Amino acid sequence: MSDSSTGSPVVLDVWCELQCTDCRSALEDLRALRAHYGDRLELRLRHFPLDKHKHAFAAAQAAEEAAAQGQAWPYAEAVLARTEELAAQGEPFLLEVARELSLDAEEFDTALIDGRHILIVDADQAEGKAIGVTGTPTYVIGGERLDGGKSQEGLRARIEEIADRLLGGE
């Protein structure tokens, strides 16, 4: 349980896959949550690439490189906004998005070649499987898992309800 008096934020783990149109649909909810809670809610991007999307694993590694360069969410949101381009172009598209965000695209290219972020992506996926994540997006907050892969109807309200309770009803 988070104690709001210590000022530590409530953590919302967002199990996401960057070639997933359902995750793209969830962006509006995530932006609304970010706007509503600010730094009282920490959104953590967690990776759950699905086998059916051939560029999802590379995209997860690229998102980790973006995180290393301080731009995890802006990068993830930019890729999710254009899932069709990712599906059609693969890694060149991931580098293009890095350039558009003024990130070091050469470092992205190197990271995808040397696989420096594979362990993080694999660990996220293993943890996701262990806690019952089967599709994306899936949210975990306050020990409760909310599956958005089938329907996102009502999920934002449920997340807010849990966050408010964890924050002590602020």
Side-chain angles (χ1 to χ4, degrees), residues 116-167:
R116 68 182 72 159
H117 301 299
I118 287 175
L119 287 176
I120 294 171
V121 176
D122 282 348
D124 272 4
Q125 198 163 29
E127 185 182 332
K129 285 179 180 167
I131 64 168
V133 175
T134 56
T136 56
T138 295
Y139 308 97
V140 177
I141 181 169
E144 191 167 333
R145 191 180 80 239
L146 306 166
D147 181 3
K150 294 174 181 62
S151 169
Q152 295 178 60
E153 192 66 40
L155 281 186
R156 186 165 91 203
R158 184 74 188 111
I159 290 168
E160 288 177 354
E161 186 183 303
I162 296 168
D164 288 344
R165 187 183 74 230
L166 294 172
L167 289 164

mmCIF file of all heavy atoms in Angstrom, residues 116-167:
data_model
loop_
_atom_site.group_PDB
_atom_site.id
_atom_site.type_symbol
_atom_site.label_atom_id
_atom_site.label_comp_id
_atom_site.label_asym_id
_atom_site.label_seq_id
_atom_site.Cartn_x
_atom_site.Cartn_y
_atom_site.Cartn_z
ATOM 1 N N ARG A 116 21.128 -4.914 -26.404
ATOM 2 C CA ARG A 116 21.388 -4.525 -25.010
ATOM 3 C C ARG A 116 20.128 -4.458 -24.148
ATOM 4 O O ARG A 116 20.232 -4.489 -22.935
ATOM 5 C CB ARG A 116 22.127 -3.188 -24.961
ATOM 6 C CG ARG A 116 21.277 -2.013 -25.418
ATOM 7 C CD ARG A 116 22.057 -0.723 -25.407
ATOM 8 N NE ARG A 116 23.020 -0.733 -26.508
ATOM 9 C CZ ARG A 116 23.549 0.382 -27.010
ATOM 10 N NH1 ARG A 116 23.251 1.549 -26.514
ATOM 11 N NH2 ARG A 116 24.392 0.311 -28.008
ATOM 12 N N HIS A 117 18.955 -4.349 -24.765
ATOM 13 C CA HIS A 117 17.724 -4.219 -23.981
ATOM 14 C C HIS A 117 16.871 -5.498 -23.968
ATOM 15 O O HIS A 117 15.791 -5.510 -23.395
ATOM 16 C CB HIS A 117 16.887 -3.051 -24.506
ATOM 17 C CG HIS A 117 17.615 -1.736 -24.449
ATOM 18 N ND1 HIS A 117 18.064 -1.182 -23.265
ATOM 19 C CD2 HIS A 117 17.989 -0.887 -25.430
ATOM 20 C CE1 HIS A 117 18.682 -0.034 -23.531
ATOM 21 N NE2 HIS A 117 18.649 0.167 -24.825
ATOM 22 N N ILE A 118 17.362 -6.542 -24.615
ATOM 23 C CA ILE A 118 16.587 -7.788 -24.719
ATOM 24 C C ILE A 118 16.238 -8.355 -23.337
ATOM 25 O O ILE A 118 15.108 -8.796 -23.112
ATOM 26 C CB ILE A 118 17.327 -8.840 -25.579
ATOM 27 C CG1 ILE A 118 17.261 -8.436 -27.049
ATOM 28 C CG2 ILE A 118 16.722 -10.232 -25.388
ATOM 29 C CD1 ILE A 118 18.050 -9.340 -27.988
ATOM 30 N N LEU A 119 17.175 -8.311 -22.406
ATOM 31 C CA LEU A 119 16.924 -8.885 -21.076
ATOM 32 C C LEU A 119 15.777 -8.179 -20.361
ATOM 33 O O LEU A 119 14.969 -8.824 -19.684
ATOM 34 C CB LEU A 119 18.186 -8.851 -20.215
ATOM 35 C CG LEU A 119 19.280 -9.848 -20.591
ATOM 36 C CD1 LEU A 119 20.507 -9.650 -19.721
ATOM 37 C CD2 LEU A 119 18.772 -11.277 -20.494
ATOM 38 N N ILE A 120 15.692 -6.860 -20.508
ATOM 39 C CA ILE A 120 14.599 -6.103 -19.874
ATOM 40 C C ILE A 120 13.266 -6.524 -20.471
ATOM 41 O O ILE A 120 12.290 -6.771 -19.751
ATOM 42 C CB ILE A 120 14.810 -4.580 -20.047
ATOM 43 C CG1 ILE A 120 16.050 -4.127 -19.283
ATOM 44 C CG2 ILE A 120 13.583 -3.804 -19.576
ATOM 45 C CD1 ILE A 120 16.468 -2.687 -19.579
ATOM 46 N N VAL A 121 13.217 -6.608 -21.796
ATOM 47 C CA VAL A 121 11.974 -6.984 -22.476
ATOM 48 C C VAL A 121 11.576 -8.410 -22.085
ATOM 49 O O VAL A 121 10.411 -8.678 -21.757
ATOM 50 C CB VAL A 121 12.125 -6.850 -24.009
ATOM 51 C CG1 VAL A 121 10.866 -7.335 -24.720
ATOM 52 C CG2 VAL A 121 12.420 -5.389 -24.395
ATOM 53 N N ASP A 122 12.556 -9.319 -22.095
ATOM 54 C CA ASP A 122 12.284 -10.712 -21.702
ATOM 55 C C ASP A 122 11.792 -10.802 -20.256
ATOM 56 O O ASP A 122 10.872 -11.561 -19.947
ATOM 57 C CB ASP A 122 13.537 -11.583 -21.860
ATOM 58 C CG ASP A 122 13.802 -11.978 -23.311
ATOM 59 O OD1 ASP A 122 12.900 -11.781 -24.161
ATOM 60 O OD2 ASP A 122 14.904 -12.478 -23.596
ATOM 61 N N ALA A 123 12.415 -10.017 -19.368
ATOM 62 C CA ALA A 123 12.024 -10.042 -17.951
ATOM 63 C C ALA A 123 10.594 -9.526 -17.780
ATOM 64 O O ALA A 123 9.809 -10.094 -17.022
ATOM 65 C CB ALA A 123 13.001 -9.216 -17.113
ATOM 66 N N ASP A 124 10.261 -8.442 -18.491
ATOM 67 C CA ASP A 124 8.893 -7.917 -18.433
ATOM 68 C C ASP A 124 7.903 -8.977 -18.899
ATOM 69 O O ASP A 124 6.880 -9.221 -18.265
ATOM 70 C CB ASP A 124 8.743 -6.668 -19.316
ATOM 71 C CG ASP A 124 9.079 -5.377 -18.588
ATOM 72 O OD1 ASP A 124 9.503 -5.434 -17.420
ATOM 73 O OD2 ASP A 124 8.907 -4.301 -19.195
ATOM 74 N N GLN A 125 8.219 -9.601 -20.028
ATOM 75 C CA GLN A 125 7.309 -10.596 -20.591
ATOM 76 C C GLN A 125 7.136 -11.776 -19.634
ATOM 77 O O GLN A 125 6.013 -12.243 -19.415
ATOM 78 C CB GLN A 125 7.836 -11.065 -21.942
ATOM 79 C CG GLN A 125 6.785 -11.743 -22.785
ATOM 80 C CD GLN A 125 7.195 -11.832 -24.238
ATOM 81 O OE1 GLN A 125 8.387 -11.892 -24.546
ATOM 82 N NE2 GLN A 125 6.226 -11.846 -25.122
ATOM 83 N N ALA A 126 8.218 -12.227 -19.043
ATOM 84 C CA ALA A 126 8.153 -13.346 -18.091
ATOM 85 C C ALA A 126 7.327 -12.967 -16.871
ATOM 86 O O ALA A 126 6.486 -13.749 -16.407
ATOM 87 C CB ALA A 126 9.562 -13.769 -17.678
ATOM 88 N N GLU A 127 7.545 -11.747 -16.343
ATOM 89 C CA GLU A 127 6.770 -11.302 -15.188
ATOM 90 C C GLU A 127 5.295 -11.183 -15.555
ATOM 91 O O GLU A 127 4.415 -11.577 -14.785
ATOM 92 C CB GLU A 127 7.295 -9.953 -14.679
ATOM 93 C CG GLU A 127 6.595 -9.516 -13.406
ATOM 94 C CD GLU A 127 7.054 -8.151 -12.899
ATOM 95 O OE1 GLU A 127 8.203 -7.759 -13.161
ATOM 96 O OE2 GLU A 127 6.247 -7.479 -12.236
ATOM 97 N N GLY A 128 5.031 -10.642 -16.739
ATOM 98 C CA GLY A 128 3.643 -10.528 -17.203
ATOM 99 C C GLY A 128 2.956 -11.882 -17.242
ATOM 100 O O GLY A 128 1.848 -12.052 -16.726
ATOM 101 N N LYS A 129 3.637 -12.858 -17.838
ATOM 102 C CA LYS A 129 3.063 -14.211 -17.916
ATOM 103 C C LYS A 129 2.819 -14.771 -16.520
ATOM 104 O O LYS A 129 1.795 -15.397 -16.267
ATOM 105 C CB LYS A 129 3.986 -15.138 -18.711
ATOM 106 C CG LYS A 129 3.919 -14.891 -20.201
ATOM 107 C CD LYS A 129 4.862 -15.798 -20.971
ATOM 108 C CE LYS A 129 4.775 -15.516 -22.462
ATOM 109 N NZ LYS A 129 5.855 -16.122 -23.232
ATOM 110 N N ALA A 130 3.763 -14.519 -15.616
ATOM 111 C CA ALA A 130 3.661 -15.041 -14.244
ATOM 112 C C ALA A 130 2.458 -14.477 -13.501
ATOM 113 O O ALA A 130 1.873 -15.155 -12.663
ATOM 114 C CB ALA A 130 4.949 -14.755 -13.473
ATOM 115 N N ILE A 131 2.078 -13.236 -13.803
ATOM 116 C CA ILE A 131 0.933 -12.636 -13.095
ATOM 117 C C ILE A 131 -0.367 -12.742 -13.889
ATOM 118 O O ILE A 131 -1.387 -12.181 -13.496
ATOM 119 C CB ILE A 131 1.199 -11.164 -12.697
ATOM 120 C CG1 ILE A 131 1.377 -10.284 -13.933
ATOM 121 C CG2 ILE A 131 2.376 -11.066 -11.746
ATOM 122 C CD1 ILE A 131 1.362 -8.797 -13.632
ATOM 123 N N GLY A 132 -0.318 -13.449 -15.024
ATOM 124 C CA GLY A 132 -1.550 -13.722 -15.753
ATOM 125 C C GLY A 132 -1.874 -12.784 -16.899
ATOM 126 O O GLY A 132 -2.994 -12.783 -17.414
ATOM 127 N N VAL A 133 -0.892 -11.976 -17.331
ATOM 128 C CA VAL A 133 -1.123 -11.138 -18.511
ATOM 129 C C VAL A 133 -1.189 -12.048 -19.725
ATOM 130 O O VAL A 133 -0.316 -12.885 -19.931
ATOM 131 C CB VAL A 133 0.017 -10.091 -18.679
ATOM 132 C CG1 VAL A 133 -0.157 -9.306 -19.982
ATOM 133 C CG2 VAL A 133 0.062 -9.145 -17.486
ATOM 134 N N THR A 134 -2.243 -11.900 -20.508
ATOM 135 C CA THR A 134 -2.372 -12.713 -21.721
ATOM 136 C C THR A 134 -2.465 -11.841 -22.973
ATOM 137 O O THR A 134 -2.260 -12.307 -24.082
ATOM 138 C CB THR A 134 -3.617 -13.623 -21.659
ATOM 139 O OG1 THR A 134 -4.768 -12.799 -21.423
ATOM 140 C CG2 THR A 134 -3.478 -14.660 -20.560
ATOM 141 N N GLY A 135 -2.817 -10.587 -22.795
ATOM 142 C CA GLY A 135 -2.930 -9.688 -23.931
ATOM 143 C C GLY A 135 -2.675 -8.266 -23.488
ATOM 144 O O GLY A 135 -2.461 -7.988 -22.303
ATOM 145 N N THR A 136 -2.695 -7.363 -24.463
ATOM 146 C CA THR A 136 -2.409 -5.959 -24.157
ATOM 147 C C THR A 136 -3.538 -5.076 -24.646
ATOM 148 O O THR A 136 -4.201 -5.420 -25.624
ATOM 149 C CB THR A 136 -1.093 -5.522 -24.824
ATOM 150 O OG1 THR A 136 -1.168 -5.757 -26.233
ATOM 151 C CG2 THR A 136 0.097 -6.259 -24.244
ATOM 152 N N PRO A 137 -3.778 -3.956 -23.968
ATOM 153 C CA PRO A 137 -3.100 -3.505 -22.759
ATOM 154 C C PRO A 137 -3.660 -4.206 -21.519
ATOM 155 O O PRO A 137 -4.831 -4.559 -21.487
ATOM 156 C CB PRO A 137 -3.439 -2.008 -22.712
ATOM 157 C CG PRO A 137 -4.802 -1.923 -23.345
ATOM 158 C CD PRO A 137 -4.801 -2.976 -24.420
ATOM 159 N N THR A 138 -2.802 -4.426 -20.543
ATOM 160 C CA THR A 138 -3.211 -4.916 -19.223
ATOM 161 C C THR A 138 -2.600 -3.964 -18.201
ATOM 162 O O THR A 138 -1.453 -3.534 -18.362
ATOM 163 C CB THR A 138 -2.718 -6.352 -18.990
ATOM 164 O OG1 THR A 138 -3.361 -7.225 -19.929
ATOM 165 C CG2 THR A 138 -3.054 -6.831 -17.577
ATOM 166 N N TYR A 139 -3.381 -3.623 -17.205
ATOM 167 C CA TYR A 139 -2.933 -2.682 -16.179
ATOM 168 C C TYR A 139 -2.843 -3.415 -14.843
ATOM 169 O O TYR A 139 -3.673 -4.265 -14.553
ATOM 170 C CB TYR A 139 -3.939 -1.537 -16.022
ATOM 171 C CG TYR A 139 -4.290 -0.872 -17.322
ATOM 172 C CD1 TYR A 139 -5.443 -1.231 -18.025
ATOM 173 C CD2 TYR A 139 -3.469 0.120 -17.861
ATOM 174 C CE1 TYR A 139 -5.763 -0.629 -19.227
ATOM 175 C CE2 TYR A 139 -3.789 0.730 -19.063
ATOM 176 C CZ TYR A 139 -4.934 0.361 -19.749
ATOM 177 O OH TYR A 139 -5.245 0.954 -20.940
ATOM 178 N N VAL A 140 -1.835 -3.038 -14.049
ATOM 179 C CA VAL A 140 -1.751 -3.545 -12.686
ATOM 180 C C VAL A 140 -1.558 -2.339 -11.773
ATOM 181 O O VAL A 140 -0.623 -1.546 -11.956
ATOM 182 C CB VAL A 140 -0.594 -4.551 -12.507
ATOM 183 C CG1 VAL A 140 -0.501 -4.985 -11.045
ATOM 184 C CG2 VAL A 140 -0.800 -5.769 -13.400
ATOM 185 N N ILE A 141 -2.481 -2.198 -10.820
ATOM 186 C CA ILE A 141 -2.410 -1.109 -9.857
ATOM 187 C C ILE A 141 -2.910 -1.631 -8.515
ATOM 188 O O ILE A 141 -3.928 -2.329 -8.453
ATOM 189 C CB ILE A 141 -3.234 0.120 -10.324
ATOM 190 C CG1 ILE A 141 -3.137 1.264 -9.304
ATOM 191 C CG2 ILE A 141 -4.677 -0.250 -10.625
ATOM 192 C CD1 ILE A 141 -3.697 2.593 -9.784
ATOM 193 N N GLY A 142 -2.142 -1.360 -7.465
ATOM 194 C CA GLY A 142 -2.541 -1.809 -6.134
ATOM 195 C C GLY A 142 -2.756 -3.309 -6.049
ATOM 196 O O GLY A 142 -3.620 -3.789 -5.326
ATOM 197 N N GLY A 143 -1.967 -4.060 -6.816
ATOM 198 C CA GLY A 143 -2.081 -5.515 -6.789
ATOM 199 C C GLY A 143 -3.240 -6.075 -7.587
ATOM 200 O O GLY A 143 -3.455 -7.285 -7.625
ATOM 201 N N GLU A 144 -3.999 -5.216 -8.258
ATOM 202 C CA GLU A 144 -5.152 -5.676 -9.038
ATOM 203 C C GLU A 144 -4.840 -5.601 -10.524
ATOM 204 O O GLU A 144 -4.313 -4.595 -11.015
ATOM 205 C CB GLU A 144 -6.365 -4.793 -8.710
ATOM 206 C CG GLU A 144 -7.651 -5.365 -9.264
ATOM 207 C CD GLU A 144 -8.897 -4.680 -8.699
ATOM 208 O OE1 GLU A 144 -8.842 -4.152 -7.574
ATOM 209 O OE2 GLU A 144 -9.917 -4.686 -9.398
ATOM 210 N N ARG A 145 -5.155 -6.677 -11.245
ATOM 211 C CA ARG A 145 -4.914 -6.738 -12.680
ATOM 212 C C ARG A 145 -6.198 -6.410 -13.437
ATOM 213 O O ARG A 145 -7.252 -6.977 -13.157
ATOM 214 C CB ARG A 145 -4.422 -8.134 -13.080
ATOM 215 C CG ARG A 145 -3.906 -8.211 -14.504
ATOM 216 C CD ARG A 145 -3.432 -9.597 -14.869
ATOM 217 N NE ARG A 145 -4.574 -10.445 -15.197
ATOM 218 C CZ ARG A 145 -4.884 -11.578 -14.581
ATOM 219 N NH1 ARG A 145 -4.137 -12.023 -13.597
ATOM 220 N NH2 ARG A 145 -5.927 -12.283 -14.946
ATOM 221 N N LEU A 146 -6.095 -5.480 -14.374
ATOM 222 C CA LEU A 146 -7.241 -5.085 -15.194
ATOM 223 C C LEU A 146 -6.895 -5.341 -16.652
ATOM 224 O O LEU A 146 -5.924 -4.780 -17.172
ATOM 225 C CB LEU A 146 -7.554 -3.594 -14.979
ATOM 226 C CG LEU A 146 -7.764 -3.168 -13.527
ATOM 227 C CD1 LEU A 146 -7.728 -1.661 -13.402
ATOM 228 C CD2 LEU A 146 -9.075 -3.712 -13.003
ATOM 229 N N ASP A 147 -7.671 -6.171 -17.316
ATOM 230 C CA ASP A 147 -7.380 -6.585 -18.684
ATOM 231 C C ASP A 147 -8.112 -5.687 -19.671
ATOM 232 O O ASP A 147 -9.340 -5.712 -19.752
ATOM 233 C CB ASP A 147 -7.796 -8.048 -18.862
ATOM 234 C CG ASP A 147 -7.514 -8.573 -20.263
ATOM 235 O OD1 ASP A 147 -6.944 -7.824 -21.079
ATOM 236 O OD2 ASP A 147 -7.846 -9.740 -20.535
ATOM 237 N N GLY A 148 -7.338 -4.913 -20.447
ATOM 238 C CA GLY A 148 -7.942 -4.036 -21.444
ATOM 239 C C GLY A 148 -7.908 -4.602 -22.841
ATOM 240 O O GLY A 148 -8.312 -3.943 -23.798
ATOM 241 N N GLY A 149 -7.415 -5.816 -22.998
ATOM 242 C CA GLY A 149 -7.293 -6.410 -24.326
ATOM 243 C C GLY A 149 -8.622 -6.741 -24.973
ATOM 244 O O GLY A 149 -8.758 -6.704 -26.186
ATOM 245 N N LYS A 150 -9.633 -7.072 -24.172
ATOM 246 C CA LYS A 150 -10.945 -7.397 -24.732
ATOM 247 C C LYS A 150 -11.813 -6.147 -24.825
ATOM 248 O O LYS A 150 -12.430 -5.876 -25.841
ATOM 249 C CB LYS A 150 -11.626 -8.469 -23.888
ATOM 250 C CG LYS A 150 -10.896 -9.799 -23.940
ATOM 251 C CD LYS A 150 -11.495 -10.815 -22.970
ATOM 252 C CE LYS A 150 -10.732 -12.115 -23.013
ATOM 253 N NZ LYS A 150 -9.324 -11.956 -22.600
ATOM 254 N N SER A 151 -11.852 -5.387 -23.744
ATOM 255 C CA SER A 151 -12.613 -4.141 -23.738
ATOM 256 C C SER A 151 -11.986 -3.181 -22.741
ATOM 257 O O SER A 151 -11.561 -3.586 -21.664
ATOM 258 C CB SER A 151 -14.067 -4.413 -23.338
ATOM 259 O OG SER A 151 -14.719 -3.190 -23.084
ATOM 260 N N GLN A 152 -11.945 -1.917 -23.117
ATOM 261 C CA GLN A 152 -11.398 -0.920 -22.211
ATOM 262 C C GLN A 152 -12.515 -0.134 -21.530
ATOM 263 O O GLN A 152 -12.262 0.814 -20.792
ATOM 264 C CB GLN A 152 -10.469 0.007 -22.991
ATOM 265 C CG GLN A 152 -9.257 -0.775 -23.503
ATOM 266 C CD GLN A 152 -8.322 0.067 -24.315
ATOM 267 O OE1 GLN A 152 -7.795 1.042 -23.815
ATOM 268 N NE2 GLN A 152 -8.125 -0.317 -25.565
ATOM 269 N N GLU A 153 -13.722 -0.575 -21.776
ATOM 270 C CA GLU A 153 -14.899 0.074 -21.202
ATOM 271 C C GLU A 153 -14.810 0.102 -19.674
ATOM 272 O O GLU A 153 -14.672 -0.926 -19.037
ATOM 273 C CB GLU A 153 -16.158 -0.698 -21.639
ATOM 274 C CG GLU A 153 -17.463 0.010 -21.358
ATOM 275 C CD GLU A 153 -17.634 1.276 -22.168
ATOM 276 O OE1 GLU A 153 -17.270 1.281 -23.361
ATOM 277 O OE2 GLU A 153 -18.139 2.251 -21.603
ATOM 278 N N GLY A 154 -14.846 1.295 -19.108
ATOM 279 C CA GLY A 154 -14.875 1.419 -17.650
ATOM 280 C C GLY A 154 -13.539 1.252 -16.948
ATOM 281 O O GLY A 154 -13.464 1.398 -15.726
ATOM 282 N N LEU A 155 -12.485 0.949 -17.695
ATOM 283 C CA LEU A 155 -11.197 0.689 -17.039
ATOM 284 C C LEU A 155 -10.599 1.944 -16.420
ATOM 285 O O LEU A 155 -10.028 1.886 -15.333
ATOM 286 C CB LEU A 155 -10.195 0.084 -18.021
ATOM 287 C CG LEU A 155 -10.348 -1.412 -18.302
ATOM 288 C CD1 LEU A 155 -9.204 -1.891 -19.171
ATOM 289 C CD2 LEU A 155 -10.391 -2.220 -17.021
ATOM 290 N N ARG A 156 -10.707 3.089 -17.112
ATOM 291 C CA ARG A 156 -10.139 4.306 -16.551
ATOM 292 C C ARG A 156 -10.803 4.646 -15.216
ATOM 293 O O ARG A 156 -10.128 4.986 -14.252
ATOM 294 C CB ARG A 156 -10.273 5.475 -17.533
ATOM 295 C CG ARG A 156 -9.554 6.709 -17.017
ATOM 296 C CD ARG A 156 -9.362 7.724 -18.105
ATOM 297 N NE ARG A 156 -10.471 8.645 -18.156
ATOM 298 C CZ ARG A 156 -10.831 9.352 -19.218
ATOM 299 N NH1 ARG A 156 -10.186 9.210 -20.355
ATOM 300 N NH2 ARG A 156 -11.827 10.195 -19.165
ATOM 301 N N ALA A 157 -12.133 4.500 -15.166
ATOM 302 C CA ALA A 157 -12.851 4.780 -13.917
ATOM 303 C C ALA A 157 -12.386 3.834 -12.815
ATOM 304 O O ALA A 157 -12.210 4.244 -11.659
ATOM 305 C CB ALA A 157 -14.362 4.646 -14.140
ATOM 306 N N ARG A 158 -12.160 2.574 -13.163
ATOM 307 C CA ARG A 158 -11.714 1.587 -12.170
ATOM 308 C C ARG A 158 -10.297 1.924 -11.678
ATOM 309 O O ARG A 158 -9.999 1.840 -10.485
ATOM 310 C CB ARG A 158 -11.754 0.185 -12.795
ATOM 311 C CG ARG A 158 -11.416 -0.933 -11.843
ATOM 312 C CD ARG A 158 -12.542 -1.225 -10.855
ATOM 313 N NE ARG A 158 -12.084 -2.172 -9.856
ATOM 314 C CZ ARG A 158 -11.881 -1.868 -8.571
ATOM 315 N NH1 ARG A 158 -12.131 -0.669 -8.122
ATOM 316 N NH2 ARG A 158 -11.444 -2.787 -7.730
ATOM 317 N N ILE A 159 -9.423 2.320 -12.608
ATOM 318 C CA ILE A 159 -8.057 2.701 -12.237
ATOM 319 C C ILE A 159 -8.102 3.915 -11.310
ATOM 320 O O ILE A 159 -7.407 3.962 -10.289
ATOM 321 C CB ILE A 159 -7.207 2.999 -13.500
ATOM 322 C CG1 ILE A 159 -6.929 1.689 -14.252
ATOM 323 C CG2 ILE A 159 -5.892 3.691 -13.127
ATOM 324 C CD1 ILE A 159 -6.364 1.873 -15.647
ATOM 325 N N GLU A 160 -8.954 4.895 -11.642
ATOM 326 C CA GLU A 160 -9.077 6.098 -10.802
ATOM 327 C C GLU A 160 -9.594 5.748 -9.407
ATOM 328 O O GLU A 160 -9.099 6.279 -8.404
ATOM 329 C CB GLU A 160 -9.995 7.124 -11.474
ATOM 330 C CG GLU A 160 -9.349 7.785 -12.673
ATOM 331 C CD GLU A 160 -10.273 8.757 -13.394
ATOM 332 O OE1 GLU A 160 -11.474 8.855 -13.030
ATOM 333 O OE2 GLU A 160 -9.792 9.431 -14.327
ATOM 334 N N GLU A 161 -10.539 4.833 -9.372
ATOM 335 C CA GLU A 161 -11.104 4.400 -8.082
ATOM 336 C C GLU A 161 -10.012 3.791 -7.197
ATOM 337 O O GLU A 161 -9.890 4.116 -6.012
ATOM 338 C CB GLU A 161 -12.202 3.371 -8.393
ATOM 339 C CG GLU A 161 -13.028 2.893 -7.241
ATOM 340 C CD GLU A 161 -14.020 1.827 -7.732
ATOM 341 O OE1 GLU A 161 -14.820 2.104 -8.645
ATOM 342 O OE2 GLU A 161 -13.950 0.697 -7.205
ATOM 343 N N ILE A 162 -9.203 2.913 -7.772
ATOM 344 C CA ILE A 162 -8.122 2.265 -7.016
ATOM 345 C C ILE A 162 -7.057 3.299 -6.632
ATOM 346 O O ILE A 162 -6.595 3.330 -5.487
ATOM 347 C CB ILE A 162 -7.502 1.107 -7.833
ATOM 348 C CG1 ILE A 162 -8.549 0.013 -8.077
ATOM 349 C CG2 ILE A 162 -6.278 0.529 -7.119
ATOM 350 C CD1 ILE A 162 -8.140 -1.028 -9.111
ATOM 351 N N ALA A 163 -6.682 4.156 -7.581
ATOM 352 C CA ALA A 163 -5.657 5.170 -7.303
ATOM 353 C C ALA A 163 -6.117 6.104 -6.188
ATOM 354 O O ALA A 163 -5.342 6.419 -5.275
ATOM 355 C CB ALA A 163 -5.341 5.960 -8.570
ATOM 356 N N ASP A 164 -7.374 6.526 -6.247
ATOM 357 C CA ASP A 164 -7.889 7.426 -5.201
ATOM 358 C C ASP A 164 -7.835 6.755 -3.830
ATOM 359 O O ASP A 164 -7.467 7.374 -2.841
ATOM 360 C CB ASP A 164 -9.336 7.860 -5.521
ATOM 361 C CG ASP A 164 -9.392 8.840 -6.677
ATOM 362 O OD1 ASP A 164 -8.354 9.425 -7.034
ATOM 363 O OD2 ASP A 164 -10.498 9.012 -7.252
ATOM 364 N N ARG A 165 -8.187 5.463 -3.810
ATOM 365 C CA ARG A 165 -8.149 4.727 -2.542
ATOM 366 C C ARG A 165 -6.696 4.640 -2.030
ATOM 367 O O ARG A 165 -6.433 4.887 -0.863
ATOM 368 C CB ARG A 165 -8.725 3.333 -2.749
ATOM 369 C CG ARG A 165 -8.878 2.546 -1.435
ATOM 370 C CD ARG A 165 -9.384 1.136 -1.683
ATOM 371 N NE ARG A 165 -8.336 0.290 -2.239
ATOM 372 C CZ ARG A 165 -8.484 -0.467 -3.315
ATOM 373 N NH1 ARG A 165 -9.609 -0.505 -3.990
ATOM 374 N NH2 ARG A 165 -7.485 -1.201 -3.765
ATOM 375 N N LEU A 166 -5.769 4.337 -2.921
ATOM 376 C CA LEU A 166 -4.361 4.206 -2.540
ATOM 377 C C LEU A 166 -3.748 5.542 -2.134
ATOM 378 O O LEU A 166 -2.832 5.590 -1.314
ATOM 379 C CB LEU A 166 -3.543 3.582 -3.682
ATOM 380 C CG LEU A 166 -3.887 2.133 -4.022
ATOM 381 C CD1 LEU A 166 -3.153 1.706 -5.272
ATOM 382 C CD2 LEU A 166 -3.552 1.200 -2.874
ATOM 383 N N LEU A 167 -4.259 6.610 -2.715
ATOM 384 C CA LEU A 167 -3.763 7.948 -2.380
ATOM 385 C C LEU A 167 -4.445 8.531 -1.159
ATOM 386 O O LEU A 167 -4.257 9.683 -0.807
ATOM 387 C CB LEU A 167 -3.928 8.889 -3.575
ATOM 388 C CG LEU A 167 -2.981 8.619 -4.757
ATOM 389 C CD1 LEU A 167 -3.465 9.325 -6.008
ATOM 390 C CD2 LEU A 167 -1.564 9.043 -4.405
#
